[in-house]
PDB file of all heavy atoms in Angstrom:
ATOM      1  N   GLN A   9       0.162  -2.401   5.997  1.00 97.00           N
ATOM      2  CA  GLN A   9      -0.073  -1.334   6.967  1.00 97.00           C
ATOM      3  C   GLN A   9      -1.011  -1.850   8.050  1.00 97.00           C
ATOM      4  O   GLN A   9      -2.197  -2.043   7.809  1.00 97.00           O
ATOM      5  CB  GLN A   9      -0.697  -0.119   6.278  1.00 97.00           C
ATOM      6  CG  GLN A   9       0.158   0.425   5.158  1.00 97.00           C
ATOM      7  CD  GLN A   9      -0.594   1.430   4.317  1.00 97.00           C
ATOM      8  OE1 GLN A   9      -1.810   1.384   4.183  1.00 97.00           O
ATOM      9  NE2 GLN A   9       0.146   2.348   3.724  1.00 97.00           N
ATOM     10  N   GLN A  10      -0.448  -2.070   9.221  1.00 98.00           N
ATOM     11  CA  GLN A  10      -1.287  -2.458  10.359  1.00 98.00           C
ATOM     12  C   GLN A  10      -1.779  -1.165  11.005  1.00 98.00           C
ATOM     13  O   GLN A  10      -0.996  -0.259  11.278  1.00 98.00           O
ATOM     14  CB  GLN A  10      -0.492  -3.286  11.354  1.00 98.00           C
ATOM     15  CG  GLN A  10      -1.358  -3.843  12.461  1.00 98.00           C
ATOM     16  CD  GLN A  10      -0.533  -4.597  13.472  1.00 98.00           C
ATOM     17  OE1 GLN A  10       0.244  -4.003  14.195  1.00 98.00           O
ATOM     18  NE2 GLN A  10      -0.711  -5.921  13.486  1.00 98.00           N
ATOM     19  N   PHE A  11      -3.087  -1.086  11.204  1.00 97.00           N
ATOM     20  CA  PHE A  11      -3.682   0.144  11.720  1.00 97.00           C
ATOM     21  C   PHE A  11      -4.387  -0.107  13.050  1.00 97.00           C
ATOM     22  O   PHE A  11      -4.686  -1.241  13.414  1.00 97.00           O
ATOM     23  CB  PHE A  11      -4.657   0.747  10.701  1.00 97.00           C
ATOM     24  CG  PHE A  11      -5.744  -0.195  10.250  1.00 97.00           C
ATOM     25  CD1 PHE A  11      -6.943  -0.278  10.938  1.00 97.00           C
ATOM     26  CD2 PHE A  11      -5.563  -1.004   9.141  1.00 97.00           C
ATOM     27  CE1 PHE A  11      -7.945  -1.149  10.535  1.00 97.00           C
ATOM     28  CE2 PHE A  11      -6.554  -1.875   8.719  1.00 97.00           C
ATOM     29  CZ  PHE A  11      -7.750  -1.951   9.418  1.00 97.00           C
ATOM     30  N   ASP A  12      -4.636   0.974  13.757  1.00 97.00           N
ATOM     31  CA  ASP A  12      -5.344   0.925  15.036  1.00 97.00           C
ATOM     32  C   ASP A  12      -6.779   0.474  14.775  1.00 97.00           C
ATOM     33  O   ASP A  12      -7.530   1.150  14.066  1.00 97.00           O
ATOM     34  CB  ASP A  12      -5.322   2.326  15.659  1.00 97.00           C
ATOM     35  CG  ASP A  12      -6.051   2.415  16.986  1.00 97.00           C
ATOM     36  OD1 ASP A  12      -6.682   1.429  17.414  1.00 97.00           O
ATOM     37  OD2 ASP A  12      -5.989   3.498  17.592  1.00 97.00           O
ATOM     38  N   PRO A  13      -7.196  -0.679  15.311  1.00 96.00           N
ATOM     39  CA  PRO A  13      -8.540  -1.173  15.021  1.00 96.00           C
ATOM     40  C   PRO A  13      -9.643  -0.222  15.493  1.00 96.00           C
ATOM     41  O   PRO A  13     -10.733  -0.208  14.914  1.00 96.00           O
ATOM     42  CB  PRO A  13      -8.618  -2.520  15.740  1.00 96.00           C
ATOM     43  CG  PRO A  13      -7.417  -2.629  16.583  1.00 96.00           C
ATOM     44  CD  PRO A  13      -6.439  -1.583  16.165  1.00 96.00           C
ATOM     45  N   ALA A  14      -9.359   0.581  16.494  1.00 97.00           N
ATOM     46  CA  ALA A  14     -10.363   1.549  16.954  1.00 97.00           C
ATOM     47  C   ALA A  14     -10.594   2.656  15.934  1.00 97.00           C
ATOM     48  O   ALA A  14     -11.622   3.332  15.986  1.00 97.00           O
ATOM     49  CB  ALA A  14      -9.924   2.155  18.290  1.00 97.00           C
ATOM     50  N   ARG A  15      -9.669   2.804  14.987  1.00 96.00           N
ATOM     51  CA  ARG A  15      -9.775   3.845  13.949  1.00 96.00           C
ATOM     52  C   ARG A  15     -10.008   3.249  12.560  1.00 96.00           C
ATOM     53  O   ARG A  15      -9.732   3.875  11.555  1.00 96.00           O
ATOM     54  CB  ARG A  15      -8.506   4.709  13.945  1.00 96.00           C
ATOM     55  CG  ARG A  15      -8.175   5.377  15.272  1.00 96.00           C
ATOM     56  CD  ARG A  15      -9.271   6.297  15.817  1.00 96.00           C
ATOM     57  NE  ARG A  15      -9.661   7.342  14.919  1.00 96.00           N
ATOM     58  CZ  ARG A  15      -9.137   8.559  14.851  1.00 96.00           C
ATOM     59  NH1 ARG A  15      -8.180   8.889  15.681  1.00 96.00           N
ATOM     60  NH2 ARG A  15      -9.587   9.456  13.995  1.00 96.00           N
ATOM     61  N   GLU A  16     -10.506   2.027  12.532  1.00 96.00           N
ATOM     62  CA  GLU A  16     -10.692   1.303  11.264  1.00 96.00           C
ATOM     63  C   GLU A  16     -11.500   2.113  10.249  1.00 96.00           C
ATOM     64  O   GLU A  16     -11.115   2.229   9.093  1.00 96.00           O
ATOM     65  CB  GLU A  16     -11.386  -0.033  11.513  1.00 96.00           C
ATOM     66  CG  GLU A  16     -11.672  -0.808  10.255  1.00 96.00           C
ATOM     67  CD  GLU A  16     -12.315  -2.160  10.531  1.00 96.00           C
ATOM     68  OE1 GLU A  16     -12.494  -2.527  11.706  1.00 96.00           O
ATOM     69  OE2 GLU A  16     -12.662  -2.832   9.559  1.00 96.00           O
ATOM     70  N   ARG A  17     -12.603   2.666  10.657  1.00 96.00           N
ATOM     71  CA  ARG A  17     -13.468   3.402   9.738  1.00 96.00           C
ATOM     72  C   ARG A  17     -12.717   4.583   9.109  1.00 96.00           C
ATOM     73  O   ARG A  17     -12.750   4.776   7.898  1.00 96.00           O
ATOM     74  CB  ARG A  17     -14.714   3.899  10.450  1.00 96.00           C
ATOM     75  CG  ARG A  17     -15.660   4.661   9.521  1.00 96.00           C
ATOM     76  CD  ARG A  17     -16.906   5.094  10.211  1.00 96.00           C
ATOM     77  NE  ARG A  17     -17.664   3.889  10.547  1.00 96.00           N
ATOM     78  CZ  ARG A  17     -18.786   3.868  11.204  1.00 96.00           C
ATOM     79  NH1 ARG A  17     -19.320   4.977  11.635  1.00 96.00           N
ATOM     80  NH2 ARG A  17     -19.414   2.736  11.464  1.00 96.00           N
ATOM     81  N   ASP A  18     -12.008   5.351   9.944  1.00 96.00           N
ATOM     82  CA  ASP A  18     -11.247   6.500   9.443  1.00 96.00           C
ATOM     83  C   ASP A  18     -10.124   6.053   8.505  1.00 96.00           C
ATOM     84  O   ASP A  18      -9.903   6.656   7.454  1.00 96.00           O
ATOM     85  CB  ASP A  18     -10.645   7.293  10.608  1.00 96.00           C
ATOM     86  CG  ASP A  18     -11.703   7.870  11.520  1.00 96.00           C
ATOM     87  OD1 ASP A  18     -12.775   8.287  11.030  1.00 96.00           O
ATOM     88  OD2 ASP A  18     -11.459   7.905  12.742  1.00 96.00           O
ATOM     89  N   PHE A  19      -9.425   5.007   8.904  1.00 97.00           N
ATOM     90  CA  PHE A  19      -8.318   4.498   8.095  1.00 97.00           C
ATOM     91  C   PHE A  19      -8.813   4.056   6.722  1.00 97.00           C
ATOM     92  O   PHE A  19      -8.250   4.422   5.693  1.00 97.00           O
ATOM     93  CB  PHE A  19      -7.627   3.334   8.810  1.00 97.00           C
ATOM     94  CG  PHE A  19      -6.457   2.786   8.043  1.00 97.00           C
ATOM     95  CD1 PHE A  19      -5.197   3.320   8.205  1.00 97.00           C
ATOM     96  CD2 PHE A  19      -6.627   1.738   7.154  1.00 97.00           C
ATOM     97  CE1 PHE A  19      -4.115   2.823   7.484  1.00 97.00           C
ATOM     98  CE2 PHE A  19      -5.557   1.236   6.440  1.00 97.00           C
ATOM     99  CZ  PHE A  19      -4.301   1.779   6.601  1.00 97.00           C
ATOM    100  N   LEU A  20      -9.880   3.264   6.706  1.00 97.00           N
ATOM    101  CA  LEU A  20     -10.387   2.741   5.431  1.00 97.00           C
ATOM    102  C   LEU A  20     -11.010   3.839   4.569  1.00 97.00           C
ATOM    103  O   LEU A  20     -10.942   3.765   3.338  1.00 97.00           O
ATOM    104  CB  LEU A  20     -11.371   1.605   5.684  1.00 97.00           C
ATOM    105  CG  LEU A  20     -10.742   0.337   6.277  1.00 97.00           C
ATOM    106  CD1 LEU A  20     -11.804  -0.706   6.548  1.00 97.00           C
ATOM    107  CD2 LEU A  20      -9.645  -0.215   5.373  1.00 97.00           C
ATOM    108  N   GLU A  21     -11.580   4.857   5.179  1.00 97.00           N
ATOM    109  CA  GLU A  21     -12.102   5.984   4.400  1.00 97.00           C
ATOM    110  C   GLU A  21     -10.964   6.687   3.664  1.00 97.00           C
ATOM    111  O   GLU A  21     -11.097   7.026   2.492  1.00 97.00           O
ATOM    112  CB  GLU A  21     -12.853   6.968   5.298  1.00 97.00           C
ATOM    113  CG  GLU A  21     -13.465   8.119   4.536  1.00 97.00           C
ATOM    114  CD  GLU A  21     -14.388   7.695   3.394  1.00 97.00           C
ATOM    115  OE1 GLU A  21     -15.186   6.765   3.559  1.00 97.00           O
ATOM    116  OE2 GLU A  21     -14.283   8.300   2.293  1.00 97.00           O
ATOM    117  N   LEU A  22      -9.858   6.882   4.338  1.00 96.00           N
ATOM    118  CA  LEU A  22      -8.699   7.473   3.665  1.00 96.00           C
ATOM    119  C   LEU A  22      -8.152   6.533   2.600  1.00 96.00           C
ATOM    120  O   LEU A  22      -7.740   6.985   1.522  1.00 96.00           O
ATOM    121  CB  LEU A  22      -7.614   7.818   4.683  1.00 96.00           C
ATOM    122  CG  LEU A  22      -7.908   9.060   5.522  1.00 96.00           C
ATOM    123  CD1 LEU A  22      -6.979   9.132   6.728  1.00 96.00           C
ATOM    124  CD2 LEU A  22      -7.794  10.319   4.676  1.00 96.00           C
ATOM    125  N   GLU A  23      -8.178   5.242   2.855  1.00 96.00           N
ATOM    126  CA  GLU A  23      -7.685   4.288   1.856  1.00 96.00           C
ATOM    127  C   GLU A  23      -8.554   4.312   0.601  1.00 96.00           C
ATOM    128  O   GLU A  23      -8.053   4.160  -0.513  1.00 96.00           O
ATOM    129  CB  GLU A  23      -7.613   2.875   2.451  1.00 96.00           C
ATOM    130  CG  GLU A  23      -6.783   1.926   1.643  1.00 96.00           C
ATOM    131  CD  GLU A  23      -5.341   2.369   1.439  1.00 96.00           C
ATOM    132  OE1 GLU A  23      -4.726   2.951   2.348  1.00 96.00           O
ATOM    133  OE2 GLU A  23      -4.803   2.094   0.338  1.00 96.00           O
ATOM    134  N   LYS A  24      -9.851   4.530   0.775  1.00 97.00           N
ATOM    135  CA  LYS A  24     -10.738   4.685  -0.399  1.00 97.00           C
ATOM    136  C   LYS A  24     -10.323   5.898  -1.215  1.00 97.00           C
ATOM    137  O   LYS A  24     -10.388   5.884  -2.453  1.00 97.00           O
ATOM    138  CB  LYS A  24     -12.194   4.836   0.042  1.00 97.00           C
ATOM    139  CG  LYS A  24     -12.824   3.562   0.523  1.00 97.00           C
ATOM    140  CD  LYS A  24     -14.254   3.810   0.962  1.00 97.00           C
ATOM    141  CE  LYS A  24     -14.840   2.589   1.622  1.00 97.00           C
ATOM    142  NZ  LYS A  24     -16.202   2.804   2.108  1.00 97.00           N
ATOM    143  N   ARG A  43      -7.298  -7.477   2.651  1.00 97.00           N
ATOM    144  CA  ARG A  43      -7.278  -7.584   4.122  1.00 97.00           C
ATOM    145  C   ARG A  43      -7.220  -9.057   4.476  1.00 97.00           C
ATOM    146  O   ARG A  43      -7.919  -9.875   3.878  1.00 97.00           O
ATOM    147  CB  ARG A  43      -8.534  -6.971   4.728  1.00 97.00           C
ATOM    148  CG  ARG A  43      -8.476  -5.452   4.660  1.00 97.00           C
ATOM    149  CD  ARG A  43      -9.544  -4.789   5.424  1.00 97.00           C
ATOM    150  NE  ARG A  43      -9.486  -5.087   6.854  1.00 97.00           N
ATOM    151  CZ  ARG A  43     -10.428  -4.709   7.690  1.00 97.00           C
ATOM    152  NH1 ARG A  43     -11.472  -4.041   7.254  1.00 97.00           N
ATOM    153  NH2 ARG A  43     -10.330  -4.978   8.973  1.00 97.00           N
ATOM    154  N   CYS A  51      -6.151  -9.016  11.284  1.00 95.00           N
ATOM    155  CA  CYS A  51      -7.225  -8.512  10.419  1.00 95.00           C
ATOM    156  C   CYS A  51      -7.258  -6.989  10.349  1.00 95.00           C
ATOM    157  O   CYS A  51      -7.925  -6.438   9.484  1.00 95.00           O
ATOM    158  CB  CYS A  51      -8.576  -9.089  10.836  1.00 95.00           C
ATOM    159  SG  CYS A  51      -9.056  -8.649  12.501  1.00 95.00           S
ATOM    160  N   ASN A  52      -6.530  -6.305  11.217  1.00 97.00           N
ATOM    161  CA  ASN A  52      -6.454  -4.846  11.130  1.00 97.00           C
ATOM    162  C   ASN A  52      -5.210  -4.443  10.326  1.00 97.00           C
ATOM    163  O   ASN A  52      -4.480  -3.523  10.667  1.00 97.00           O
ATOM    164  CB  ASN A  52      -6.449  -4.199  12.525  1.00 97.00           C
ATOM    165  CG  ASN A  52      -5.272  -4.628  13.368  1.00 97.00           C
ATOM    166  OD1 ASN A  52      -4.978  -5.815  13.455  1.00 97.00           O
ATOM    167  ND2 ASN A  52      -4.607  -3.680  13.998  1.00 97.00           N
ATOM    168  N   THR A  53      -5.024  -5.151   9.223  1.00 98.00           N
ATOM    169  CA  THR A  53      -3.916  -4.885   8.307  1.00 98.00           C
ATOM    170  C   THR A  53      -4.484  -4.686   6.908  1.00 98.00           C
ATOM    171  O   THR A  53      -5.334  -5.450   6.459  1.00 98.00           O
ATOM    172  CB  THR A  53      -2.915  -6.063   8.287  1.00 98.00           C
ATOM    173  OG1 THR A  53      -2.446  -6.287   9.609  1.00 98.00           O
ATOM    174  CG2 THR A  53      -1.751  -5.795   7.363  1.00 98.00           C
ATOM    175  N   LEU A  54      -3.991  -3.664   6.245  1.00 98.00           N
ATOM    176  CA  LEU A  54      -4.323  -3.448   4.838  1.00 98.00           C
ATOM    177  C   LEU A  54      -3.070  -3.782   4.040  1.00 98.00           C
ATOM    178  O   LEU A  54      -1.971  -3.348   4.394  1.00 98.00           O
ATOM    179  CB  LEU A  54      -4.729  -1.999   4.566  1.00 98.00           C
ATOM    180  CG  LEU A  54      -5.058  -1.811   3.087  1.00 98.00           C
ATOM    181  CD1 LEU A  54      -6.529  -1.578   2.901  1.00 98.00           C
ATOM    182  CD2 LEU A  54      -4.220  -0.747   2.479  1.00 98.00           C
ATOM    183  N   VAL A  84      -0.305  11.993   5.169  1.00 96.00           N
ATOM    184  CA  VAL A  84      -0.172  12.732   6.430  1.00 96.00           C
ATOM    185  C   VAL A  84      -1.405  12.521   7.312  1.00 96.00           C
ATOM    186  O   VAL A  84      -1.297  12.416   8.538  1.00 96.00           O
ATOM    187  CB  VAL A  84       0.074  14.234   6.152  1.00 96.00           C
ATOM    188  CG1 VAL A  84      -0.105  15.084   7.389  1.00 96.00           C
ATOM    189  CG2 VAL A  84       1.453  14.440   5.566  1.00 96.00           C
ATOM    190  N   LYS A  85      -2.573  12.429   6.703  1.00 96.00           N
ATOM    191  CA  LYS A  85      -3.808  12.191   7.467  1.00 96.00           C
ATOM    192  C   LYS A  85      -3.887  10.754   7.993  1.00 96.00           C
ATOM    193  O   LYS A  85      -4.479  10.508   9.038  1.00 96.00           O
ATOM    194  CB  LYS A  85      -5.031  12.464   6.589  1.00 96.00           C
ATOM    195  CG  LYS A  85      -5.199  13.910   6.200  1.00 96.00           C
ATOM    196  CD  LYS A  85      -6.398  14.066   5.280  1.00 96.00           C
ATOM    197  CE  LYS A  85      -6.563  15.495   4.820  1.00 96.00           C
ATOM    198  NZ  LYS A  85      -7.697  15.637   3.894  1.00 96.00           N
ATOM    199  N   GLN A  86      -3.299   9.821   7.246  1.00 95.00           N
ATOM    200  CA  GLN A  86      -3.424   8.410   7.593  1.00 95.00           C
ATOM    201  C   GLN A  86      -2.364   7.936   8.602  1.00 95.00           C
ATOM    202  O   GLN A  86      -2.608   7.015   9.376  1.00 95.00           O
ATOM    203  CB  GLN A  86      -3.358   7.554   6.316  1.00 95.00           C
ATOM    204  CG  GLN A  86      -3.932   6.176   6.478  1.00 95.00           C
ATOM    205  CD  GLN A  86      -3.919   5.397   5.184  1.00 95.00           C
ATOM    206  OE1 GLN A  86      -2.932   5.385   4.467  1.00 95.00           O
ATOM    207  NE2 GLN A  86      -5.030   4.739   4.881  1.00 95.00           N
ATOM    208  N   VAL A  87      -1.211   8.585   8.620  1.00 95.00           N
ATOM    209  CA  VAL A  87      -0.103   8.167   9.487  1.00 95.00           C
ATOM    210  C   VAL A  87      -0.500   8.000  10.956  1.00 95.00           C
ATOM    211  O   VAL A  87      -0.068   7.027  11.592  1.00 95.00           O
ATOM    212  CB  VAL A  87       1.095   9.137   9.342  1.00 95.00           C
ATOM    213  CG1 VAL A  87       2.094   8.979  10.469  1.00 95.00           C
ATOM    214  CG2 VAL A  87       1.785   8.920   8.023  1.00 95.00           C
ATOM    215  N   PRO A  88      -1.306   8.871  11.538  1.00 96.00           N
ATOM    216  CA  PRO A  88      -1.633   8.689  12.955  1.00 96.00           C
ATOM    217  C   PRO A  88      -2.343   7.367  13.277  1.00 96.00           C
ATOM    218  O   PRO A  88      -2.368   6.947  14.427  1.00 96.00           O
ATOM    219  CB  PRO A  88      -2.552   9.876  13.276  1.00 96.00           C
ATOM    220  CG  PRO A  88      -2.228  10.896  12.247  1.00 96.00           C
ATOM    221  CD  PRO A  88      -1.857  10.118  11.013  1.00 96.00           C
ATOM    222  N   PHE A  89      -2.903   6.707  12.276  1.00 97.00           N
ATOM    223  CA  PHE A  89      -3.626   5.456  12.496  1.00 97.00           C
ATOM    224  C   PHE A  89      -2.712   4.226  12.400  1.00 97.00           C
ATOM    225  O   PHE A  89      -3.125   3.125  12.744  1.00 97.00           O
ATOM    226  CB  PHE A  89      -4.768   5.306  11.496  1.00 97.00           C
ATOM    227  CG  PHE A  89      -5.683   6.498  11.438  1.00 97.00           C
ATOM    228  CD1 PHE A  89      -6.120   6.986  10.221  1.00 97.00           C
ATOM    229  CD2 PHE A  89      -6.102   7.148  12.589  1.00 97.00           C
ATOM    230  CE1 PHE A  89      -6.967   8.081  10.155  1.00 97.00           C
ATOM    231  CE2 PHE A  89      -6.941   8.250  12.534  1.00 97.00           C
ATOM    232  CZ  PHE A  89      -7.380   8.718  11.310  1.00 97.00           C
ATOM    233  N   PHE A  90      -1.473   4.405  11.930  1.00 96.00           N
ATOM    234  CA  PHE A  90      -0.563   3.285  11.743  1.00 96.00           C
ATOM    235  C   PHE A  90      -0.042   2.751  13.068  1.00 96.00           C
ATOM    236  O   PHE A  90       0.280   3.502  13.973  1.00 96.00           O
ATOM    237  CB  PHE A  90       0.667   3.692  10.918  1.00 96.00           C
ATOM    238  CG  PHE A  90       0.414   3.947   9.466  1.00 96.00           C
ATOM    239  CD1 PHE A  90       1.310   4.715   8.740  1.00 96.00           C
ATOM    240  CD2 PHE A  90      -0.687   3.447   8.816  1.00 96.00           C
ATOM    241  CE1 PHE A  90       1.106   4.967   7.400  1.00 96.00           C
ATOM    242  CE2 PHE A  90      -0.909   3.691   7.468  1.00 96.00           C
ATOM    243  CZ  PHE A  90       0.001   4.452   6.758  1.00 96.00           C
ATOM    244  N   ARG A  91       0.047   1.430  13.130  1.00 97.00           N
ATOM    245  CA  ARG A  91       0.757   0.764  14.226  1.00 97.00           C
ATOM    246  C   ARG A  91       2.088   0.233  13.723  1.00 97.00           C
ATOM    247  O   ARG A  91       3.062   0.210  14.441  1.00 97.00           O
ATOM    248  CB  ARG A  91      -0.079  -0.383  14.782  1.00 97.00           C
ATOM    249  CG  ARG A  91      -1.255   0.092  15.588  1.00 97.00           C
ATOM    250  CD  ARG A  91      -1.727  -1.022  16.453  1.00 97.00           C
ATOM    251  NE  ARG A  91      -2.652  -0.521  17.467  1.00 97.00           N
ATOM    252  CZ  ARG A  91      -3.412  -1.296  18.170  1.00 97.00           C
ATOM    253  NH1 ARG A  91      -3.376  -2.603  17.997  1.00 97.00           N
ATOM    254  NH2 ARG A  91      -4.219  -0.779  19.063  1.00 97.00           N
TER     255      ARG A  91
END
Side-chain angles (χ1 to χ4, degrees):
Q9 302 168 331
Q10 187 183 69
F11 55 89
D12 179 354
R15 303 302 303 270
E16 177 178 357
R17 181 178 293 177
D18 298 324
F19 181 88
L20 292 178
E21 183 55 42
L22 285 166
E23 196 58 37
K24 286 179 188 178
R43 286 190 62 187
C51 61
N52 61 312
T53 303
L54 180 111
V84 167
K85 293 177 182 178
Q86 200 177 45
V87 164
F89 308 137
F90 289 159
R91 287 199 167 166

